[in-house]
mmCIF file of all heavy atoms in Angstrom:
data_model
loop_
_atom_site.group_PDB
_atom_site.id
_atom_site.type_symbol
_atom_site.label_atom_id
_atom_site.label_comp_id
_atom_site.label_asym_id
_atom_site.label_seq_id
_atom_site.Cartn_x
_atom_site.Cartn_y
_atom_site.Cartn_z
ATOM 1 N N LEU A 43 -12.668 10.246 4.017
ATOM 2 C CA LEU A 43 -12.380 10.678 5.384
ATOM 3 C C LEU A 43 -13.485 10.235 6.333
ATOM 4 O O LEU A 43 -13.217 9.798 7.462
ATOM 5 C CB LEU A 43 -12.216 12.198 5.419
ATOM 6 C CG LEU A 43 -11.128 12.794 4.515
ATOM 7 C CD1 LEU A 43 -11.119 14.306 4.628
ATOM 8 C CD2 LEU A 43 -9.761 12.221 4.860
ATOM 9 N N ASN A 47 -13.512 7.734 9.789
ATOM 10 C CA ASN A 47 -13.685 8.547 11.004
ATOM 11 C C ASN A 47 -12.446 9.392 11.289
ATOM 12 O O ASN A 47 -12.034 9.570 12.438
ATOM 13 C CB ASN A 47 -13.978 7.642 12.217
ATOM 14 C CG ASN A 47 -15.274 6.866 12.071
ATOM 15 O OD1 ASN A 47 -16.283 7.402 11.612
ATOM 16 N ND2 ASN A 47 -15.251 5.591 12.453
ATOM 17 N N VAL A 48 -11.873 9.915 10.231
ATOM 18 C CA VAL A 48 -10.607 10.629 10.354
ATOM 19 C C VAL A 48 -10.747 11.915 11.151
ATOM 20 O O VAL A 48 -9.909 12.228 12.015
ATOM 21 C CB VAL A 48 -10.031 10.915 8.954
ATOM 22 C CG1 VAL A 48 -8.905 11.937 9.025
ATOM 23 C CG2 VAL A 48 -9.539 9.634 8.315
ATOM 24 N N GLU A 49 -11.787 12.677 10.893
ATOM 25 C CA GLU A 49 -11.909 13.968 11.569
ATOM 26 C C GLU A 49 -12.084 13.799 13.076
ATOM 27 O O GLU A 49 -11.604 14.624 13.860
ATOM 28 C CB GLU A 49 -13.047 14.766 10.931
ATOM 29 C CG GLU A 49 -12.690 15.196 9.505
ATOM 30 C CD GLU A 49 -13.842 15.851 8.768
ATOM 31 O OE1 GLU A 49 -14.990 15.706 9.233
ATOM 32 O OE2 GLU A 49 -13.596 16.492 7.739
ATOM 33 N N GLN A 50 -12.725 12.733 13.489
ATOM 34 C CA GLN A 50 -12.825 12.443 14.921
ATOM 35 C C GLN A 50 -11.452 12.073 15.483
ATOM 36 O O GLN A 50 -11.074 12.511 16.581
ATOM 37 C CB GLN A 50 -13.813 11.311 15.161
ATOM 38 C CG GLN A 50 -13.978 10.955 16.634
ATOM 39 C CD GLN A 50 -14.991 9.840 16.848
ATOM 40 O OE1 GLN A 50 -15.668 9.418 15.918
ATOM 41 N NE2 GLN A 50 -15.089 9.362 18.081
ATOM 42 N N ALA A 51 -10.690 11.304 14.723
ATOM 43 C CA ALA A 51 -9.357 10.901 15.180
ATOM 44 C C ALA A 51 -8.427 12.101 15.299
ATOM 45 O O ALA A 51 -7.543 12.120 16.166
ATOM 46 C CB ALA A 51 -8.768 9.878 14.218
ATOM 47 N N TRP A 52 -8.615 13.104 14.440
ATOM 48 C CA TRP A 52 -7.754 14.285 14.485
ATOM 49 C C TRP A 52 -7.872 15.056 15.798
ATOM 50 O O TRP A 52 -6.985 15.847 16.137
ATOM 51 C CB TRP A 52 -8.099 15.214 13.328
ATOM 52 C CG TRP A 52 -7.598 14.723 11.994
ATOM 53 C CD1 TRP A 52 -6.695 13.741 11.764
ATOM 54 C CD2 TRP A 52 -8.005 15.216 10.714
ATOM 55 N NE1 TRP A 52 -6.505 13.576 10.411
ATOM 56 C CE2 TRP A 52 -7.292 14.466 9.740
ATOM 57 C CE3 TRP A 52 -8.890 16.195 10.273
ATOM 58 C CZ2 TRP A 52 -7.441 14.682 8.373
ATOM 59 C CZ3 TRP A 52 -9.053 16.414 8.922
ATOM 60 C CH2 TRP A 52 -8.329 15.663 7.981
ATOM 61 N N ARG A 53 -8.949 14.850 16.533
ATOM 62 C CA ARG A 53 -9.085 15.528 17.826
ATOM 63 C C ARG A 53 -8.034 15.034 18.808
ATOM 64 O O ARG A 53 -7.677 15.735 19.758
ATOM 65 C CB ARG A 53 -10.482 15.272 18.405
ATOM 66 C CG ARG A 53 -11.618 15.815 17.548
ATOM 67 C CD ARG A 53 -12.961 15.368 18.094
ATOM 68 N NE ARG A 53 -14.054 15.684 17.179
ATOM 69 C CZ ARG A 53 -15.299 15.220 17.303
ATOM 70 N NH1 ARG A 53 -15.592 14.413 18.326
ATOM 71 N NH2 ARG A 53 -16.221 15.545 16.427
ATOM 72 N N THR A 54 -7.554 13.813 18.564
ATOM 73 C CA THR A 54 -6.511 13.237 19.419
ATOM 74 C C THR A 54 -5.127 13.490 18.850
ATOM 75 O O THR A 54 -4.219 13.940 19.548
ATOM 76 C CB THR A 54 -6.734 11.719 19.575
ATOM 77 O OG1 THR A 54 -8.032 11.495 20.119
ATOM 78 C CG2 THR A 54 -5.680 11.107 20.480
ATOM 79 N N THR A 55 -4.936 13.200 17.574
ATOM 80 C CA THR A 55 -3.633 13.404 16.935
ATOM 81 C C THR A 55 -3.797 13.436 15.422
ATOM 82 O O THR A 55 -4.711 12.820 14.871
ATOM 83 C CB THR A 55 -2.652 12.279 17.305
ATOM 84 O OG1 THR A 55 -1.402 12.504 16.629
ATOM 85 C CG2 THR A 55 -3.176 10.915 16.905
ATOM 86 N N LYS A 56 -2.897 14.170 14.775
ATOM 87 C CA LYS A 56 -2.816 14.167 13.313
ATOM 88 C C LYS A 56 -1.534 13.491 12.841
ATOM 89 O O LYS A 56 -1.149 13.611 11.690
ATOM 90 C CB LYS A 56 -2.897 15.590 12.768
ATOM 91 C CG LYS A 56 -4.268 16.236 12.975
ATOM 92 C CD LYS A 56 -4.353 17.600 12.290
ATOM 93 C CE LYS A 56 -5.756 18.180 12.423
ATOM 94 N NZ LYS A 56 -5.882 19.488 11.717
ATOM 95 N N GLY A 57 -0.897 12.794 13.790
ATOM 96 C CA GLY A 57 0.289 12.032 13.420
ATOM 97 C C GLY A 57 1.610 12.725 13.672
ATOM 98 O O GLY A 57 2.655 12.232 13.244
ATOM 99 N N VAL A 118 -5.929 16.524 1.549
ATOM 100 C CA VAL A 118 -5.501 16.240 2.914
ATOM 101 C C VAL A 118 -5.451 14.731 3.130
ATOM 102 O O VAL A 118 -6.368 14.003 2.759
ATOM 103 C CB VAL A 118 -6.432 16.919 3.960
ATOM 104 C CG1 VAL A 118 -7.852 16.398 3.865
ATOM 105 C CG2 VAL A 118 -5.879 16.747 5.364
ATOM 106 N N GLY A 119 -4.345 14.266 3.703
ATOM 107 C CA GLY A 119 -4.189 12.848 4.004
ATOM 108 C C GLY A 119 -4.814 12.498 5.336
ATOM 109 O O GLY A 119 -5.232 13.379 6.102
ATOM 110 N N VAL A 120 -4.861 11.216 5.646
ATOM 111 C CA VAL A 120 -5.499 10.795 6.895
ATOM 112 C C VAL A 120 -4.647 11.118 8.116
ATOM 113 O O VAL A 120 -5.153 11.160 9.233
ATOM 114 C CB VAL A 120 -5.853 9.296 6.859
ATOM 115 C CG1 VAL A 120 -6.947 9.026 5.856
ATOM 116 C CG2 VAL A 120 -4.648 8.434 6.563
ATOM 117 N N ALA A 121 -3.361 11.353 7.917
ATOM 118 C CA ALA A 121 -2.474 11.741 9.024
ATOM 119 C C ALA A 121 -1.615 12.908 8.537
ATOM 120 O O ALA A 121 -0.429 12.743 8.226
ATOM 121 C CB ALA A 121 -1.609 10.571 9.471
ATOM 122 N N PRO A 122 -2.185 14.110 8.464
ATOM 123 C CA PRO A 122 -1.526 15.226 7.780
ATOM 124 C C PRO A 122 -0.301 15.815 8.464
ATOM 125 O O PRO A 122 0.315 16.733 7.909
ATOM 126 C CB PRO A 122 -2.645 16.271 7.680
ATOM 127 C CG PRO A 122 -3.576 15.943 8.798
ATOM 128 C CD PRO A 122 -3.532 14.458 8.934
ATOM 129 N N HIS A 286 -3.329 6.884 14.544
ATOM 130 C CA HIS A 286 -4.464 7.213 15.405
ATOM 131 C C HIS A 286 -4.860 6.037 16.286
ATOM 132 O O HIS A 286 -5.589 6.211 17.265
ATOM 133 C CB HIS A 286 -5.681 7.610 14.548
ATOM 134 C CG HIS A 286 -5.391 8.683 13.548
ATOM 135 N ND1 HIS A 286 -4.754 9.848 13.868
ATOM 136 C CD2 HIS A 286 -5.653 8.754 12.202
ATOM 137 C CE1 HIS A 286 -4.641 10.610 12.782
ATOM 138 N NE2 HIS A 286 -5.161 9.958 11.765
#
Side-chain angles (χ1 to χ4, degrees):
L43 302 178
N47 297 318
V48 166
E49 291 173 344
Q50 180 179 353
W52 285 346
R53 298 173 189 169
T54 302
T55 179
K56 292 186 176 182
V118 62
V120 292
H286 307 311

